[in-house]
Amino acid sequence: MGGLIESTDQTMFLDPAIRNWVLFPITVIMVLVGVFRHQLTILMTGQPAKPDIKEIRQGKALMRGHTLAQNNSYIPTAAFIERKKYLCQAYEDGTYLKDKTSKEKSPTDLMADPKNMEAMMDGMKKQMMGIIPQTLIMGWIQFFFSGFILIKLPFPLGLRFKQMLQSGIMTPNMDVRWVSSISWYFINLFGLRGVFALLLGGENSADGTRDMTAMSTMGAMGQQPGQPQDFNKQFLGMKDNLSIIYHEWDLENIEQRVLVKYGKQARIFKSTRK
């Protein structure tokens, strides 16, 4: 197997025309499409509205509950209980809600709000602007350059990268460092973030991976792009999550555990940690 791979490396040569007419054009077209998509998104949706301080407060309050739930073991038990008690009561009372009357509103009433309707339309426009260009580029590559080998990476890689770098090519003995046309598309899709941030700024609409991540997150939550969030429902869910957490401080009996670890003291205290 090793000799076969070595002989294949010695006999494979790429035509310079592949570099000039396939490799570079795919990268340049993806950059240009990203810039065009960013400008078109601005024209279709306009400048983003300034966030309301109460909306920011809602999101930060929910994030505070997530942070407490994920890092509860870093604070003593008494401190955790006080924070949990305060947040659970605030979530139940709707202290952080932008509109406290929204507790009685149904999801249909939230969607009927003109501001929420406009946000939903903007989300759908951005979703379409992300799906259509990427679908066209992938179809173009698959139709014209299916099965092409474009480049060889200058550093060694393990076999686990073979499926990722040689998508669309059924050659089990080819060196892992060779990259197919479809794989080069995905490398550019995830690797052009820095280029778009340099050309268009950090908050740009050219990064397709950002929309893919947002769509997958919303899909996992059962939420459509642009759909208004029911913060009262999320607050109550976070309240239930905090209520069932079993807290255990990481620094409980830390002095004795350090002495036991280095053989300075026998294990004479009760602890669930090893």
Side-chain angles (χ1 to χ4, degrees), residues 174-222:
M174 183 182 294
D175 191 350
V176 182
R177 292 179 292 174
W178 293 102
V179 182
S180 66
S181 57
I182 297 297
S183 297
W184 182 247
Y185 161 78
F186 285 107
I187 290 175
N188 282 275
L189 180 63
F190 291 95
L192 290 176
R193 297 179 183 176
V195 177
F196 290 139
L198 182 63
L199 296 176
L200 306 173
E203 296 296 331
N204 61 79
S205 302
D207 187 4
T209 57
R210 184 182 305 171
D211 294 340
M212 293 168 58
T213 304
M215 289 170 57
S216 61
T217 303
M218 290 180 178
M221 297 174 60

mmCIF file of all heavy atoms in Angstrom, residues 174-222:
data_model
loop_
_atom_site.group_PDB
_atom_site.id
_atom_site.type_symbol
_atom_site.label_atom_id
_atom_site.label_comp_id
_atom_site.label_asym_id
_atom_site.label_seq_id
_atom_site.Cartn_x
_atom_site.Cartn_y
_atom_site.Cartn_z
ATOM 1 N N MET A 174 -5.081 7.453 -3.193
ATOM 2 C CA MET A 174 -4.505 8.770 -3.461
ATOM 3 C C MET A 174 -4.027 9.415 -2.167
ATOM 4 O O MET A 174 -4.616 9.237 -1.106
ATOM 5 C CB MET A 174 -5.543 9.674 -4.142
ATOM 6 C CG MET A 174 -4.998 11.044 -4.527
ATOM 7 S SD MET A 174 -6.262 12.091 -5.278
ATOM 8 C CE MET A 174 -6.559 11.171 -6.791
ATOM 9 N N ASP A 175 -2.941 10.167 -2.285
ATOM 10 C CA ASP A 175 -2.388 10.874 -1.129
ATOM 11 C C ASP A 175 -3.434 11.835 -0.569
ATOM 12 O O ASP A 175 -4.165 12.500 -1.305
ATOM 13 C CB ASP A 175 -1.139 11.647 -1.554
ATOM 14 C CG ASP A 175 -0.367 12.174 -0.349
ATOM 15 O OD1 ASP A 175 -0.899 12.099 0.772
ATOM 16 O OD2 ASP A 175 0.750 12.668 -0.534
ATOM 17 N N VAL A 176 -3.495 11.915 0.763
ATOM 18 C CA VAL A 176 -4.506 12.732 1.427
ATOM 19 C C VAL A 176 -4.339 14.214 1.101
ATOM 20 O O VAL A 176 -5.309 14.972 1.132
ATOM 21 C CB VAL A 176 -4.432 12.507 2.958
ATOM 22 C CG1 VAL A 176 -5.503 13.304 3.682
ATOM 23 C CG2 VAL A 176 -4.569 11.037 3.278
ATOM 24 N N ARG A 177 -3.149 14.637 0.734
ATOM 25 C CA ARG A 177 -2.891 16.060 0.551
ATOM 26 C C ARG A 177 -3.524 16.632 -0.714
ATOM 27 O O ARG A 177 -3.619 17.846 -0.856
ATOM 28 C CB ARG A 177 -1.381 16.310 0.534
ATOM 29 C CG ARG A 177 -0.710 16.064 1.876
ATOM 30 C CD ARG A 177 0.777 16.288 1.802
ATOM 31 N NE ARG A 177 1.425 15.268 0.980
ATOM 32 C CZ ARG A 177 2.725 15.292 0.660
ATOM 33 N NH1 ARG A 177 3.488 16.290 1.081
ATOM 34 N NH2 ARG A 177 3.234 14.335 -0.079
ATOM 35 N N TRP A 178 -3.966 15.790 -1.655
ATOM 36 C CA TRP A 178 -4.618 16.292 -2.858
ATOM 37 C C TRP A 178 -6.038 16.750 -2.521
ATOM 38 O O TRP A 178 -6.753 16.096 -1.772
ATOM 39 C CB TRP A 178 -4.666 15.218 -3.944
ATOM 40 C CG TRP A 178 -3.312 14.836 -4.485
ATOM 41 C CD1 TRP A 178 -2.590 13.726 -4.188
ATOM 42 C CD2 TRP A 178 -2.529 15.582 -5.418
ATOM 43 N NE1 TRP A 178 -1.400 13.712 -4.870
ATOM 44 C CE2 TRP A 178 -1.338 14.851 -5.645
ATOM 45 C CE3 TRP A 178 -2.713 16.793 -6.088
ATOM 46 C CZ2 TRP A 178 -0.337 15.292 -6.499
ATOM 47 C CZ3 TRP A 178 -1.716 17.231 -6.945
ATOM 48 C CH2 TRP A 178 -0.545 16.484 -7.145
ATOM 49 N N VAL A 179 -6.444 17.892 -3.089
ATOM 50 C CA VAL A 179 -7.734 18.517 -2.775
ATOM 51 C C VAL A 179 -8.592 18.543 -4.026
ATOM 52 O O VAL A 179 -8.135 18.974 -5.092
ATOM 53 C CB VAL A 179 -7.545 19.948 -2.238
ATOM 54 C CG1 VAL A 179 -8.893 20.568 -1.873
ATOM 55 C CG2 VAL A 179 -6.619 19.941 -1.028
ATOM 56 N N SER A 180 -9.842 18.095 -3.887
ATOM 57 C CA SER A 180 -10.778 18.094 -5.016
ATOM 58 C C SER A 180 -11.456 19.451 -5.142
ATOM 59 O O SER A 180 -11.333 20.327 -4.274
ATOM 60 C CB SER A 180 -11.818 16.991 -4.836
ATOM 61 O OG SER A 180 -12.646 17.277 -3.721
ATOM 62 N N SER A 181 -12.218 19.616 -6.235
ATOM 63 C CA SER A 181 -12.871 20.900 -6.504
ATOM 64 C C SER A 181 -13.955 21.203 -5.472
ATOM 65 O O SER A 181 -14.060 22.335 -4.979
ATOM 66 C CB SER A 181 -13.461 20.891 -7.915
ATOM 67 O OG SER A 181 -14.372 19.804 -8.076
ATOM 68 N N ILE A 182 -14.775 20.211 -5.116
ATOM 69 C CA ILE A 182 -15.830 20.436 -4.133
ATOM 70 C C ILE A 182 -15.236 20.746 -2.765
ATOM 71 O O ILE A 182 -15.718 21.633 -2.042
ATOM 72 C CB ILE A 182 -16.766 19.211 -4.054
ATOM 73 C CG1 ILE A 182 -17.470 18.990 -5.393
ATOM 74 C CG2 ILE A 182 -17.797 19.388 -2.960
ATOM 75 C CD1 ILE A 182 -18.372 20.121 -5.801
ATOM 76 N N SER A 183 -14.178 20.048 -2.404
ATOM 77 C CA SER A 183 -13.536 20.319 -1.123
ATOM 78 C C SER A 183 -12.904 21.705 -1.111
ATOM 79 O O SER A 183 -12.902 22.393 -0.077
ATOM 80 C CB SER A 183 -12.478 19.254 -0.841
ATOM 81 O OG SER A 183 -13.069 17.978 -0.717
ATOM 82 N N TRP A 184 -12.370 22.128 -2.253
ATOM 83 C CA TRP A 184 -11.804 23.476 -2.329
ATOM 84 C C TRP A 184 -12.897 24.533 -2.139
ATOM 85 O O TRP A 184 -12.652 25.590 -1.555
ATOM 86 C CB TRP A 184 -11.104 23.665 -3.666
ATOM 87 C CG TRP A 184 -10.454 24.996 -3.840
ATOM 88 C CD1 TRP A 184 -10.811 25.982 -4.710
ATOM 89 C CD2 TRP A 184 -9.324 25.496 -3.122
ATOM 90 N NE1 TRP A 184 -9.984 27.067 -4.580
ATOM 91 C CE2 TRP A 184 -9.049 26.793 -3.603
ATOM 92 C CE3 TRP A 184 -8.515 24.974 -2.118
ATOM 93 C CZ2 TRP A 184 -8.004 27.572 -3.124
ATOM 94 C CZ3 TRP A 184 -7.477 25.748 -1.626
ATOM 95 C CH2 TRP A 184 -7.227 27.025 -2.127
ATOM 96 N N TYR A 185 -14.090 24.251 -2.624
ATOM 97 C CA TYR A 185 -15.221 25.157 -2.404
ATOM 98 C C TYR A 185 -15.511 25.307 -0.913
ATOM 99 O O TYR A 185 -15.682 26.426 -0.407
ATOM 100 C CB TYR A 185 -16.449 24.640 -3.151
ATOM 101 C CG TYR A 185 -17.752 25.215 -2.648
ATOM 102 C CD1 TYR A 185 -18.146 26.494 -3.004
ATOM 103 C CD2 TYR A 185 -18.584 24.464 -1.815
ATOM 104 C CE1 TYR A 185 -19.341 27.022 -2.539
ATOM 105 C CE2 TYR A 185 -19.777 24.985 -1.355
ATOM 106 C CZ TYR A 185 -20.151 26.263 -1.718
ATOM 107 O OH TYR A 185 -21.332 26.781 -1.236
ATOM 108 N N PHE A 186 -15.566 24.185 -0.185
ATOM 109 C CA PHE A 186 -15.863 24.265 1.244
ATOM 110 C C PHE A 186 -14.716 24.904 2.015
ATOM 111 O O PHE A 186 -14.946 25.612 3.010
ATOM 112 C CB PHE A 186 -16.170 22.873 1.788
ATOM 113 C CG PHE A 186 -17.523 22.358 1.416
ATOM 114 C CD1 PHE A 186 -17.682 21.357 0.463
ATOM 115 C CD2 PHE A 186 -18.664 22.879 1.997
ATOM 116 C CE1 PHE A 186 -18.935 20.888 0.112
ATOM 117 C CE2 PHE A 186 -19.927 22.420 1.661
ATOM 118 C CZ PHE A 186 -20.063 21.420 0.708
ATOM 119 N N ILE A 187 -13.476 24.685 1.583
ATOM 120 C CA ILE A 187 -12.342 25.343 2.240
ATOM 121 C C ILE A 187 -12.460 26.851 2.093
ATOM 122 O O ILE A 187 -12.218 27.609 3.046
ATOM 123 C CB ILE A 187 -11.019 24.815 1.655
ATOM 124 C CG1 ILE A 187 -10.796 23.368 2.079
ATOM 125 C CG2 ILE A 187 -9.849 25.675 2.117
ATOM 126 C CD1 ILE A 187 -9.576 22.723 1.458
ATOM 127 N N ASN A 188 -12.838 27.309 0.907
ATOM 128 C CA ASN A 188 -13.031 28.747 0.703
ATOM 129 C C ASN A 188 -14.232 29.267 1.468
ATOM 130 O O ASN A 188 -14.214 30.388 1.992
ATOM 131 C CB ASN A 188 -13.206 29.051 -0.790
ATOM 132 C CG ASN A 188 -11.894 29.038 -1.547
ATOM 133 O OD1 ASN A 188 -11.182 30.026 -1.601
ATOM 134 N ND2 ASN A 188 -11.570 27.897 -2.127
ATOM 135 N N LEU A 189 -15.288 28.466 1.549
ATOM 136 C CA LEU A 189 -16.498 28.896 2.250
ATOM 137 C C LEU A 189 -16.203 29.198 3.716
ATOM 138 O O LEU A 189 -16.695 30.186 4.276
ATOM 139 C CB LEU A 189 -17.575 27.813 2.130
ATOM 140 C CG LEU A 189 -18.917 28.098 2.818
ATOM 141 C CD1 LEU A 189 -19.599 29.307 2.196
ATOM 142 C CD2 LEU A 189 -19.823 26.878 2.760
ATOM 143 N N PHE A 190 -15.382 28.348 4.345
ATOM 144 C CA PHE A 190 -15.056 28.554 5.753
ATOM 145 C C PHE A 190 -13.786 29.377 5.951
ATOM 146 O O PHE A 190 -13.561 29.874 7.053
ATOM 147 C CB PHE A 190 -14.884 27.202 6.454
ATOM 148 C CG PHE A 190 -16.161 26.431 6.598
ATOM 149 C CD1 PHE A 190 -16.514 25.465 5.672
ATOM 150 C CD2 PHE A 190 -17.023 26.675 7.646
ATOM 151 C CE1 PHE A 190 -17.690 24.746 5.788
ATOM 152 C CE2 PHE A 190 -18.210 25.968 7.783
ATOM 153 C CZ PHE A 190 -18.540 25.005 6.852
ATOM 154 N N GLY A 191 -12.969 29.513 4.915
ATOM 155 C CA GLY A 191 -11.682 30.190 5.085
ATOM 156 C C GLY A 191 -11.647 31.630 4.647
ATOM 157 O O GLY A 191 -10.638 32.311 4.887
ATOM 158 N N LEU A 192 -12.713 32.124 4.012
ATOM 159 C CA LEU A 192 -12.726 33.511 3.534
ATOM 160 C C LEU A 192 -13.299 34.486 4.554
ATOM 161 O O LEU A 192 -13.530 35.650 4.211
ATOM 162 C CB LEU A 192 -13.528 33.604 2.227
ATOM 163 C CG LEU A 192 -12.879 32.961 1.000
ATOM 164 C CD1 LEU A 192 -13.819 33.038 -0.191
ATOM 165 C CD2 LEU A 192 -11.555 33.638 0.661
ATOM 166 N N ARG A 193 -13.538 34.032 5.767
ATOM 167 C CA ARG A 193 -14.081 34.939 6.776
ATOM 168 C C ARG A 193 -13.157 36.120 7.013
ATOM 169 O O ARG A 193 -13.596 37.269 7.086
ATOM 170 C CB ARG A 193 -14.298 34.190 8.093
ATOM 171 C CG ARG A 193 -15.300 33.061 8.028
ATOM 172 C CD ARG A 193 -15.411 32.381 9.389
ATOM 173 N NE ARG A 193 -16.307 31.242 9.367
ATOM 174 C CZ ARG A 193 -16.514 30.452 10.405
ATOM 175 N NH1 ARG A 193 -15.877 30.697 11.544
ATOM 176 N NH2 ARG A 193 -17.351 29.433 10.331
ATOM 177 N N GLY A 194 -11.854 35.841 7.136
ATOM 178 C CA GLY A 194 -10.899 36.921 7.375
ATOM 179 C C GLY A 194 -10.834 37.899 6.214
ATOM 180 O O GLY A 194 -10.688 39.112 6.415
ATOM 181 N N VAL A 195 -10.942 37.397 4.985
ATOM 182 C CA VAL A 195 -10.917 38.278 3.812
ATOM 183 C C VAL A 195 -12.138 39.188 3.804
ATOM 184 O O VAL A 195 -12.035 40.398 3.563
ATOM 185 C CB VAL A 195 -10.855 37.438 2.524
ATOM 186 C CG1 VAL A 195 -10.913 38.336 1.298
ATOM 187 C CG2 VAL A 195 -9.590 36.591 2.493
ATOM 188 N N PHE A 196 -13.311 38.624 4.083
ATOM 189 C CA PHE A 196 -14.522 39.436 4.114
ATOM 190 C C PHE A 196 -14.480 40.442 5.269
ATOM 191 O O PHE A 196 -14.956 41.580 5.119
ATOM 192 C CB PHE A 196 -15.757 38.541 4.248
ATOM 193 C CG PHE A 196 -16.045 37.732 3.014
ATOM 194 C CD1 PHE A 196 -16.443 36.405 3.102
ATOM 195 C CD2 PHE A 196 -15.922 38.295 1.760
ATOM 196 C CE1 PHE A 196 -16.719 35.666 1.965
ATOM 197 C CE2 PHE A 196 -16.194 37.560 0.617
ATOM 198 C CZ PHE A 196 -16.586 36.245 0.714
ATOM 199 N N ALA A 197 -13.946 40.030 6.409
ATOM 200 C CA ALA A 197 -13.836 40.970 7.534
ATOM 201 C C ALA A 197 -12.877 42.110 7.200
ATOM 202 O O ALA A 197 -13.095 43.258 7.613
ATOM 203 C CB ALA A 197 -13.358 40.229 8.782
ATOM 204 N N LEU A 198 -11.828 41.824 6.438
ATOM 205 C CA LEU A 198 -10.877 42.862 6.049
ATOM 206 C C LEU A 198 -11.486 43.807 5.013
ATOM 207 O O LEU A 198 -11.263 45.024 5.060
ATOM 208 C CB LEU A 198 -9.606 42.219 5.496
ATOM 209 C CG LEU A 198 -8.471 43.163 5.081
ATOM 210 C CD1 LEU A 198 -7.948 43.935 6.288
ATOM 211 C CD2 LEU A 198 -7.340 42.379 4.434
ATOM 212 N N LEU A 199 -12.253 43.268 4.070
ATOM 213 C CA LEU A 199 -12.820 44.084 3.001
ATOM 214 C C LEU A 199 -14.087 44.826 3.428
ATOM 215 O O LEU A 199 -14.289 45.988 3.046
ATOM 216 C CB LEU A 199 -13.135 43.209 1.783
ATOM 217 C CG LEU A 199 -11.945 42.542 1.079
ATOM 218 C CD1 LEU A 199 -12.437 41.642 -0.045
ATOM 219 C CD2 LEU A 199 -10.983 43.586 0.538
ATOM 220 N N LEU A 200 -14.945 44.147 4.217
ATOM 221 C CA LEU A 200 -16.276 44.681 4.500
ATOM 222 C C LEU A 200 -16.508 45.005 5.965
ATOM 223 O O LEU A 200 -17.562 45.545 6.302
ATOM 224 C CB LEU A 200 -17.344 43.668 4.033
ATOM 225 C CG LEU A 200 -17.234 43.207 2.578
ATOM 226 C CD1 LEU A 200 -18.225 42.084 2.310
ATOM 227 C CD2 LEU A 200 -17.469 44.365 1.630
ATOM 228 N N GLY A 201 -15.567 44.659 6.832
ATOM 229 C CA GLY A 201 -15.769 44.881 8.252
ATOM 230 C C GLY A 201 -16.262 43.628 8.951
ATOM 231 O O GLY A 201 -16.659 42.642 8.315
ATOM 232 N N GLY A 202 -16.252 43.671 10.260
ATOM 233 C CA GLY A 202 -16.620 42.484 11.032
ATOM 234 C C GLY A 202 -18.075 42.108 10.887
ATOM 235 O O GLY A 202 -18.418 40.935 10.763
ATOM 236 N N GLU A 203 -18.984 43.097 10.906
ATOM 237 C CA GLU A 203 -20.417 42.826 10.793
ATOM 238 C C GLU A 203 -20.821 42.896 9.324
ATOM 239 O O GLU A 203 -21.410 43.880 8.860
ATOM 240 C CB GLU A 203 -21.212 43.830 11.627
ATOM 241 C CG GLU A 203 -20.956 43.738 13.119
ATOM 242 C CD GLU A 203 -21.408 42.420 13.703
ATOM 243 O OE1 GLU A 203 -22.362 41.833 13.151
ATOM 244 O OE2 GLU A 203 -20.825 41.986 14.701
ATOM 245 N N ASN A 204 -20.516 41.844 8.569
ATOM 246 C CA ASN A 204 -20.851 41.812 7.148
ATOM 247 C C ASN A 204 -21.823 40.679 6.863
ATOM 248 O O ASN A 204 -21.998 39.770 7.666
ATOM 249 C CB ASN A 204 -19.579 41.658 6.303
ATOM 250 C CG ASN A 204 -18.840 40.374 6.590
ATOM 251 O OD1 ASN A 204 -19.213 39.311 6.110
ATOM 252 N ND2 ASN A 204 -17.766 40.474 7.373
ATOM 253 N N SER A 205 -22.441 40.755 5.688
ATOM 254 C CA SER A 205 -23.420 39.747 5.261
ATOM 255 C C SER A 205 -22.848 38.787 4.245
ATOM 256 O O SER A 205 -23.601 38.037 3.620
ATOM 257 C CB SER A 205 -24.658 40.442 4.671
ATOM 258 O OG SER A 205 -25.232 41.319 5.598
ATOM 259 N N ALA A 206 -21.525 38.804 4.043
ATOM 260 C CA ALA A 206 -20.911 37.954 3.026
ATOM 261 C C ALA A 206 -20.545 36.578 3.554
ATOM 262 O O ALA A 206 -20.330 35.648 2.768
ATOM 263 C CB ALA A 206 -19.661 38.635 2.459
ATOM 264 N N ASP A 207 -20.456 36.427 4.864
ATOM 265 C CA ASP A 207 -20.038 35.160 5.462
ATOM 266 C C ASP A 207 -21.212 34.197 5.462
ATOM 267 O O ASP A 207 -22.169 34.361 6.229
ATOM 268 C CB ASP A 207 -19.527 35.396 6.883
ATOM 269 C CG ASP A 207 -18.925 34.148 7.493
ATOM 270 O OD1 ASP A 207 -18.834 33.124 6.779
ATOM 271 O OD2 ASP A 207 -18.534 34.188 8.671
ATOM 272 N N GLY A 208 -21.172 33.189 4.592
ATOM 273 C CA GLY A 208 -22.258 32.221 4.515
ATOM 274 C C GLY A 208 -22.319 31.286 5.699
ATOM 275 O O GLY A 208 -23.392 30.784 6.046
ATOM 276 N N THR A 209 -21.182 31.031 6.341
ATOM 277 C CA THR A 209 -21.171 30.107 7.477
ATOM 278 C C THR A 209 -21.920 30.673 8.668
ATOM 279 O O THR A 209 -22.481 29.926 9.470
ATOM 280 C CB THR A 209 -19.725 29.787 7.876
ATOM 281 O OG1 THR A 209 -19.039 31.013 8.187
ATOM 282 C CG2 THR A 209 -18.989 29.121 6.725
ATOM 283 N N ARG A 210 -21.937 31.991 8.804
ATOM 284 C CA ARG A 210 -22.667 32.607 9.909
ATOM 285 C C ARG A 210 -24.162 32.345 9.783
ATOM 286 O O ARG A 210 -24.841 32.018 10.758
ATOM 287 C CB ARG A 210 -22.384 34.111 9.938
ATOM 288 C CG ARG A 210 -23.025 34.845 11.112
ATOM 289 C CD ARG A 210 -22.738 36.328 11.016
ATOM 290 N NE ARG A 210 -21.310 36.584 10.928
ATOM 291 C CZ ARG A 210 -20.790 37.785 10.671
ATOM 292 N NH1 ARG A 210 -21.583 38.818 10.455
ATOM 293 N NH2 ARG A 210 -19.473 37.938 10.605
ATOM 294 N N ASP A 211 -24.682 32.474 8.556
ATOM 295 C CA ASP A 211 -26.100 32.195 8.344
ATOM 296 C C ASP A 211 -26.404 30.713 8.526
ATOM 297 O O ASP A 211 -27.460 30.345 9.042
ATOM 298 C CB ASP A 211 -26.514 32.637 6.946
ATOM 299 C CG ASP A 211 -26.444 34.153 6.772
ATOM 300 O OD1 ASP A 211 -26.459 34.845 7.802
ATOM 301 O OD2 ASP A 211 -26.348 34.615 5.624
ATOM 302 N N MET A 212 -25.474 29.834 8.097
ATOM 303 C CA MET A 212 -25.690 28.412 8.281
ATOM 304 C C MET A 212 -25.763 28.061 9.758
ATOM 305 O O MET A 212 -26.602 27.265 10.185
ATOM 306 C CB MET A 212 -24.564 27.630 7.601
ATOM 307 C CG MET A 212 -24.563 27.732 6.086
ATOM 308 S SD MET A 212 -23.059 27.088 5.332
ATOM 309 C CE MET A 212 -23.068 25.406 5.930
ATOM 310 N N THR A 213 -24.887 28.677 10.565
ATOM 311 C CA THR A 213 -24.905 28.426 12.005
ATOM 312 C C THR A 213 -26.188 28.933 12.634
ATOM 313 O O THR A 213 -26.807 28.266 13.477
ATOM 314 C CB THR A 213 -23.695 29.095 12.667
ATOM 315 O OG1 THR A 213 -22.493 28.623 12.045
ATOM 316 C CG2 THR A 213 -23.649 28.781 14.149
ATOM 317 N N ALA A 214 -26.619 30.135 12.223
ATOM 318 C CA ALA A 214 -27.856 30.690 12.776
ATOM 319 C C ALA A 214 -29.057 29.847 12.395
ATOM 320 O O ALA A 214 -29.954 29.604 13.208
ATOM 321 C CB ALA A 214 -28.032 32.124 12.286
ATOM 322 N N MET A 215 -29.082 29.362 11.138
ATOM 323 C CA MET A 215 -30.208 28.550 10.696
ATOM 324 C C MET A 215 -30.257 27.222 11.441
ATOM 325 O O MET A 215 -31.328 26.748 11.825
ATOM 326 C CB MET A 215 -30.109 28.309 9.195
ATOM 327 C CG MET A 215 -30.388 29.538 8.345
ATOM 328 S SD MET A 215 -29.980 29.294 6.614
ATOM 329 C CE MET A 215 -30.999 27.877 6.231
ATOM 330 N N SER A 216 -29.083 26.603 11.674
ATOM 331 C CA SER A 216 -29.075 25.334 12.400
ATOM 332 C C SER A 216 -29.493 25.524 13.850
ATOM 333 O O SER A 216 -30.202 24.692 14.420
ATOM 334 C CB SER A 216 -27.678 24.712 12.326
ATOM 335 O OG SER A 216 -26.718 25.559 12.922
ATOM 336 N N THR A 217 -29.081 26.655 14.452
ATOM 337 C CA THR A 217 -29.474 26.929 15.836
ATOM 338 C C THR A 217 -30.969 27.154 15.942
ATOM 339 O O THR A 217 -31.640 26.637 16.835
ATOM 340 C CB THR A 217 -28.714 28.156 16.365
ATOM 341 O OG1 THR A 217 -27.309 27.921 16.250
ATOM 342 C CG2 THR A 217 -29.065 28.418 17.824
ATOM 343 N N MET A 218 -31.515 27.929 14.992
ATOM 344 C CA MET A 218 -32.958 28.181 15.017
ATOM 345 C C MET A 218 -33.746 26.912 14.733
ATOM 346 O O MET A 218 -34.813 26.688 15.304
ATOM 347 C CB MET A 218 -33.304 29.259 13.985
ATOM 348 C CG MET A 218 -32.809 30.649 14.348
ATOM 349 S SD MET A 218 -33.242 31.875 13.113
ATOM 350 C CE MET A 218 -32.574 33.354 13.868
ATOM 351 N N GLY A 219 -33.193 26.068 13.836
ATOM 352 C CA GLY A 219 -33.883 24.815 13.549
ATOM 353 C C GLY A 219 -33.919 23.899 14.753
ATOM 354 O O GLY A 219 -34.912 23.213 15.000
ATOM 355 N N ALA A 220 -32.822 23.879 15.528
ATOM 356 C CA ALA A 220 -32.802 23.054 16.733
ATOM 357 C C ALA A 220 -33.791 23.564 17.775
ATOM 358 O O ALA A 220 -34.338 22.791 18.566
ATOM 359 C CB ALA A 220 -31.386 23.018 17.319
ATOM 360 N N MET A 221 -34.019 24.893 17.768
ATOM 361 C CA MET A 221 -34.955 25.478 18.723
ATOM 362 C C MET A 221 -36.380 25.507 18.188
ATOM 363 O O MET A 221 -37.295 25.982 18.873
ATOM 364 C CB MET A 221 -34.516 26.911 19.071
ATOM 365 C CG MET A 221 -33.169 27.000 19.753
ATOM 366 S SD MET A 221 -32.639 28.699 19.982
ATOM 367 C CE MET A 221 -33.952 29.349 20.989
ATOM 368 N N GLY A 222 -36.574 25.012 16.937
ATOM 369 C CA GLY A 222 -37.902 25.038 16.347
ATOM 370 C C GLY A 222 -38.364 26.429 15.990
ATOM 371 O O GLY A 222 -39.556 26.733 16.055
#
